[in-house]
Amino acid sequence: NLTDRFEGIVKKIKSKGRLSEEDIDSILRDIRIALLEADVALSVVQDFITNVKQRCLSMELSKSLTPAQQIIKYVNEELTAILGGEQLRISYAPKPPTVILLAGLQGSGKTTTVAKLGRWFKQQGRHPLLVGADLARPAAVEQLRILGSEAGLAVFSEPTDPVSVARRGLEEALRVGRDVVIVDTAGRLSIDQVLMEEVRRVSVAVQPHYTFLVIDAMTGQDAVNTAKAFHETLELDGIILTKVDGDARGGAALSVKQVAGKPIAFVTTGEKINEIETFYPERMASRILG
Amino acid sequence: LRGKGRIDQQVYDQLEEAMILADVGIPTTAKLLDSMRNAVKEKKLSGDASELANYLKDEIAAVLDVGDTELSMEEGPGNVWLLVGVNGVGKTTTIGKLAHSETRSGKKVVLAAGDTFRAAAADQLELWAKKTGADFIKGASGADPSSVIFDAVRHGVAQEADLIIADSAGRLHNKANLMEELKKVRRVAARPPGKLTEVLLVIDATTGQNGLIQARLFTEAVQVTGIVLTKLDGTAKGGIVLAIASELNIPIKLVGVGEGVEDLFPLDREEFAETLIG
Ligand SMILES: Nc1nc2c(ncn2[C@@H]2O[C@H](COP(=O)(O)OP(=O)(O)OP(=O)(O)O)[C@@H](O)[C@H]2O)c(=O)[nH]1
Ligand SMILES: Nc1nc2c(ncn2[C@@H]2O[C@H](COP(=O)(O)OP(=O)(O)OP(=O)(O)O)[C@@H](O)[C@H]2O)c(=O)[nH]1
Ligand SMILES: [Mg+2]
Ligand SMILES: [Mg+2]
């Protein structure tokens, strides 16, 4: 693990009041490598290292920790602080329904997550309506219908166009008294201008109270491009990190958090409908550090 | 660092950054840059920026030059291609595209709905079968995927189909029980009268370093014969395939560049290298 890697370098550091800048740079070089190997975006790593270095330059050597352990402690704290911060707590619209919109790249886990959120809200005593606004992918609506029916959740869709479906879904929720609407959208590339415009128009049509970017935990350097583009187009309220039951280090979590500046609201931990949970920044921080 | 036999540090940093941003990863990037530095030291290369970039592109194309990039097909009916990979990478869509290109080139194709787990997986594949004129075999929802594939192969051979393309459920490689299930699927797919001629691992171009671990574990479990790199039409560069090719000696056979039926092409190594370091 990271501590063992450093002990080698740091063995030659004698106990002084401060670490030399050279010692700190050598340790931070290894941290930089660890973060890049964990898929944290390069620009995010650079900013992160700069900030940690500042802290290291003014640190007093601890009596109980080696310099390496101390720096790792700082790194862990810094990671946890960036990943955590303001927790997203769903506050329901005074005039229902509360509208939730999910967006993201192809295959990231949106449709599955819509159903999971539906069940989650139902457990909170709400009456959600799932809206299948992905009319592009073969059998996408069918997928949502099956997932919804397995969890006793209502699903609305019609074969018109995504913006109309979303709007009509909202009308339907109002008509029958559903107090939460969760809109599934088609996967799309952040550089596809036509489809980014389409999801913007879906957002305008239903005025979501929460817009979540759904991102796969195994995403690499591309995470910043995705986060930037979706945030610029939709103004995100939060992030949902999927497939954390895999063994990817999950550096994308840090990248997306840093770029969008919005909380990681949920993580999903499997394919079953109950496999969604709150995000724990400390756990993610140590996972990223490896 | 300037002058003869030396590389301008700025040029070096730019090339390193391009590779890191492309998900090439630290070990492979270091290897490629070392090779470049040695070539300059041995005066085989000047320190000129464009010459260095071209050298790197050639090296990248060379790394990818492993194995047979043709899709393997033997004479007679019953060729089986099995698609595997983690969740959401593009297996089912890739099968649709393969059905299209193979029926276009005169082959009789059967699609086997080997994903018996995920909601509407069979429906999704059936739509691709309809679209491409391929035959379609599915089982009951929740059925043993091996039995569906077995039925599809038997049906295919009876119908003198050249090719049975088998879908499998997405699964994370760190789930031992799911990898065991896949091993059984492969055994059954390889059983006569079928001839298992390709096990294609689908890798999403947005995947980071985990892609190498995926490749290792899927190869260990089911002897992957080729990689399909999907979603290259996005901003992600898919650089992790360099490590996969060089460590596991597996060819990148195909690239997916969109969601349409024609958006699948053989890998062009030079073009890939060119795009990788921009
Ligand atoms: N292991 C695991 N698999 C997941 C998780 N979330 C989703 N999946 C799987 O990932 C695959 C893709 O999920 P979908 O919900 O279809 O993804 P999507 O974003 O709606 O895909 P598109 O609509 O095509 O963009 C499916 O096989 C899901 O079962 C998760 O947290 N863990
Ligand atoms: N842009 C783009 N999207 C793709 C490509 N290949 C697949 N997709 C999309 O990625 C999403 C997932 O594709 P699937 O074929 O369902 O992936 P899968 O691996 O079968 O997913 P699971 O069976 O759930 O594990 C769909 O929205 C596809 O349209 C590609 O090359 N480019
Ligand atoms: Mg979907
Ligand atoms: Mg599939």
Side-chain angles (χ1 to χ4, degrees), chain A residues 18 97 101 173 180 192 228 264:
Chain A
R18 297 270 163 87
L101 178 67
V180 176
D192 186 328
K228 230 178 240 146
I264 297 173

Side-chain angles (χ1 to χ4, degrees), chain A residues 10-118:
Chain A
V10 182
K11 235 188 241 138
K12 56 191 170 54
I13 295 173
K14 308 279 185 313
S15 188
K16 333 175 185 112
R18 297 270 163 87
L19 279 180
S20 77
E21 180 161 0
E22 212 172 55
D23 298 327
I24 291 171
D25 278 341
S26 131
I27 292 176
L28 290 184
R29 249 195 306 278
D30 254 30
I31 298 205
R32 176 178 181 275
I33 290 173
L35 293 175
L36 288 174
E37 285 178 338
D39 293 323
V40 181
L42 186 60
S43 58
V44 174
V45 173
Q46 284 161 348
D47 291 344
F48 182 86
I49 296 293
T50 304
N51 294 333
V52 171
K53 182 170 176 175
Q54 288 313 312
R55 209 173 156 192
C56 290
L57 285 172
S58 57
M59 104 184 173
E60 289 289 344
L61 286 185
S62 145
K63 295 283 180 294
S64 53
L65 299 173
T66 68
Q69 287 171 333
Q70 208 171 340
I71 293 181
I72 293 172
K73 180 162 165 292
Y74 279 4
V75 168
N76 224 310
E77 287 170 357
E78 195 68 18
L79 267 183
T80 307
I82 299 173
L83 288 169
E86 182 92 37
Q87 250 252 351
L88 189 145
R89 203 153 273 112
I90 302 281
S91 71
Y92 295 95
K95 202 156 148 282
T98 301
V99 179
I100 303 192
L101 178 67
L102 265 62
L105 298 180
Q106 289 89 347
S108 55
K110 298 173 294 300
T111 304
T112 312
T113 303
V114 167
K116 289 175 180 178
L117 282 173

Side-chain angles (χ1 to χ4, degrees), chain B residues 61 255 257 265-277:
Chain B
V255 295
V257 291
F265 295 93
L267 174 75
D268 179 326
R269 293 179 290 114
E270 284 74 23
E271 184 183 359
F272 183 82
E274 179 77 32
T275 314
L276 200 79
I277 52 176

